[in-house]
Amino acid sequence: MLSEPSTATVRATLPAVGAAIGDIADLFYRKLFDAHPELLRDLFNRGNQASGAQRQALAGSIAAFATQLVEHPDTRPDVMLSRIAHKHASLGITPAQYDAVHTHLFAAIAEVLGDAVTPEVAAAWDEVYWLMANALIAIEERLYAQQGVVAGDVWRDWEVVSRTEETEDVATFRLRPADGSPAPAFRPGQYVSVQVELPDGAHQIRQYSLSCAPGSAVRSITVKRVRGGGAPDGEVSRQLHEQVRAGDRLRVSAPYGDLVLKSAEAPLLLASAGIGCTPILSMLEHLAESGHGTPVTVVHGDRSPADHAMRTDHAALAGKLPDSAAHFWYEDPADGHPADRTGLVDLSGLVIASGTHAYLCGPLPFMRSVRTQLLAKGVAASDIHYEVFGPDLWLAS
C-alpha cells in the first residue's frame, strides 16, 4: 500500500507523468540499452523495440499500476502483475535487473520532467516503482520455485523431433528434452520462451504457446512466420521457418502463462483469431482427454480456410466434446461457407450460457470486439480472460 504522503503526491502528479510517460519510456530504453547493450541483443525483443510496442506497454503498465494505487488503495492489480510476472519468468528475469531498470527509469523521469521532480515527487514515484517491482519479484520467485528453476536459469536444450507444415506460413515443431529427462508439466494455455541465435550473433527470444495437451509425450509449438509487409520480417520466426529441422536443438524455457482454465464446471467459450488458436487447441485437447461435460462454444476468425492453422484439428477436437459447438468465421471464405459466418466474428446469433467463462487469444482488435460482445450478452468481466502475443497494449490504450 502506498503511504499517505506519497498517495497525495502521486495523485497530484499523475496527470503530468501520464502525459509524459511515452517520452519517459522512450528515453528510459535508450539509456538502458546504451548502458547494457547486451539486453537489447539477448533479452528484449528488437522488433518490439523498433516498432515502439514495448515502450507503449511499459508506459501503460506504470500508469495503470499508479492509478490503481491512488484510486483503489486497498486492492492490487493482481491480474496485470501476474501476466507481467509470467512473461518475466519465461525470460529468466532476475531481481538485479530491477535495479538497473530503476536507475535508468528515474534518470529518464528527471530529465523529461526537469524541475517538476522535487525530492518529494521523486520519493513518491520511487515508492510506486518499488511496490510494483517487489510485487513482481515475489511472484516471479514463486513461479521459479514451482518449476524447480532459479532466476536467470530457466533454459534447457530441447531436440526437434519433427516438423509439420500447417499452412504456407505456419509450422508445428515437436520437441523433447535433449537430455532424455521428462518434459516439465504445464497447464493448457501456457507458453514457453524459445531462444535462437541469429546470423548477427544475437540470441533473441520469443514466446510460443504450447499447442498440445499436457499429457503428450512430446511438446509442440506452432509458429507463424511474421512477414513485415513493408517492415522487417520477424527475426525469430523467420529463423525457425528457414533453418530449423528435425534433429536440431533449441533453447526452451520452463512453461509459464496465466491464460489457463479456471473452472472445470462452468460453461466455456474459447475464442481465437489467426495463430491465437494455439493455446485454445491445447485447452480443447485437454478437455477432450479429461471427459469435460459442460457446454463448450468454440469461436475462431481467420482470413480464409487455407490460413486457418490446424483447422481440421480445431473442428475435430471440438467434436469430441459431448456438448460443444464450433463456429468459424472467414473474411474470404470458400464456396458454400455460410453467409452468417463470413467476415469478422459476430456473436449476435450465438446463445451464450449463463455463467460462461471465456478465454480469448488473438489480435487486440479481435479480443476487444469479442469482449464487448460478451459483456453485452451478460458475461461477467471477471470471467473474460485473455492472452496477448507480444507486449500487452491493452493497458496502453
Side-chain angles (χ1 to χ4, degrees):
M1 182 182 296
L2 197 60
S3 66
E4 287 188 16
S6 291
T7 298
T9 300
V10 170
R11 180 178 286 111
T13 56
L14 187 55
V17 173
I21 195 68
D23 293 334
I24 292 169
D26 182 69
L27 182 58
F28 154 69
Y29 278 117
R30 284 191 276 125
K31 287 180 175 293
L32 179 68
F33 296 145
D34 284 346
H36 301 280
E38 74 281 0
L39 294 180
L40 180 58
R41 185 181 67 243
D42 297 333
L43 180 63
F44 283 84
N45 182 320
R46 297 192 296 197
N48 289 336
Q49 288 298 324
S51 70
Q54 186 62 57
R55 293 191 292 277
Q56 285 181 268
L58 173 69
S61 64
I62 293 172
F65 187 77
T67 300
Q68 178 82 15
L69 288 177
V70 299
E71 298 297 336
H72 306 284
D74 295 328
T75 62
R76 195 175 73 169
D78 285 334
V79 171
M80 181 188 78
L81 292 172
S82 175
R83 185 170 294 118
I84 295 171
H86 274 271
K87 187 66 65 70
H88 283 183
S90 80
L91 296 168
I93 297 298
T94 67
Q97 287 169 324
Y98 285 94
D99 292 319
V101 168
H102 177 267
T103 296
H104 299 291
L105 179 59
F106 276 77
I109 290 172
E111 188 170 327
V112 171
L113 296 182
D115 292 341
V117 185
T118 64
E120 293 77 16
V121 170
W125 282 94
D126 186 76
E127 191 177 341
V128 170
Y129 175 82
W130 284 113
L131 279 171
M132 186 173 183
N134 286 329
L136 289 170
I137 290 168
I139 298 170
E140 289 155 22
E141 184 176 308
R142 291 195 296 272
L143 292 174
Y144 292 137
Q146 288 168 8
Q147 290 292 353
V149 298
V150 296
D153 188 20
V154 299
W155 304 98
R156 295 170 65 182
D157 287 333
W158 290 61
E159 180 186 355
V160 179
V161 177
S162 65
R163 168 179 169 153
T164 302
E165 307 303 315
E166 306 290 357
T167 72
E168 181 180 352
D169 284 331
V170 176
T172 293
F173 300 86
R174 292 175 179 83
L175 315 169
R176 64 185 173 202
D179 62 5
S181 61
F186 74 97
R187 298 176 68 185
Q190 291 191 309
Y191 54 78
V192 292
S193 285
V194 177
Q195 183 187 70
V196 301
E197 183 174 357
L198 299 177
D200 66 355
H203 293 81
Q204 283 282 286
I205 302 168
R206 301 294 184 270
Q207 285 78 37
Y208 297 108
S209 294
L210 291 157
S211 51
C212 56
S216 304
V218 297
R219 300 291 183 255
S220 298
I221 57 170
T222 301
V223 179
K224 180 177 180 179
R225 179 165 182 166
V226 178
R227 299 189 183 274
D233 288 353
E235 293 184 292
V236 173
S237 67
R238 180 179 61 197
Q239 185 77 3
L240 291 170
H241 273 259
E242 292 183 355
Q243 302 297 329
V244 176
R245 299 292 184 271
D248 291 336
R249 292 191 176 192
L250 294 172
R251 294 279 282 168
V252 179
S253 77
Y256 292 103
D258 62 350
L259 185 76
V260 294
L261 296 171
K262 304 290 194 296
S263 171
E265 305 301 326
L268 301 175
L269 182 135
L270 308 178
S272 57
I275 199 61
C277 65
T278 52
I280 301 303
L281 284 163
S282 177
M283 292 179 181
L284 280 171
E285 187 174 353
H286 168 72
L287 292 171
E289 290 180 354
S290 62
H292 183 82
T294 60
V296 178
T297 302
V298 178
V299 168
H300 183 77
D302 228 309
R303 286 178 305 214
S304 71
D307 291 304
H308 183 170
M310 298 182 289
R311 178 172 179 258
T312 300
D313 291 341
H314 210 159
L317 289 169
K320 290 182 178 180
L321 297 169
D323 188 359
S324 69
H327 309 275
F328 300 155
W329 278 261
Y330 300 116
E331 297 174 52
D332 183 16
D335 291 341
H337 190 73
D340 63 352
R341 297 292 183 268
T342 298
L344 302 180
V345 169
D346 179 1
L347 304 183
S348 60
L350 301 188
V351 176
I352 306 299
S354 176
T356 288
H357 285 215
Y359 298 83
L360 321 179
C361 190
L364 192 54
F366 161 79
M367 293 194 295
R368 283 186 178 136
S369 172
V370 171
R371 182 176 186 274
T372 298
Q373 295 179 64
L374 290 172
L375 291 172
K377 283 182 168 288
V379 178
S382 60
D383 292 336
I384 302 175
H385 314 281
Y386 72 93
E387 179 69 82
V388 173
F389 289 163
D392 190 346
L393 298 184
W394 208 320
L395 292 169
S397 58

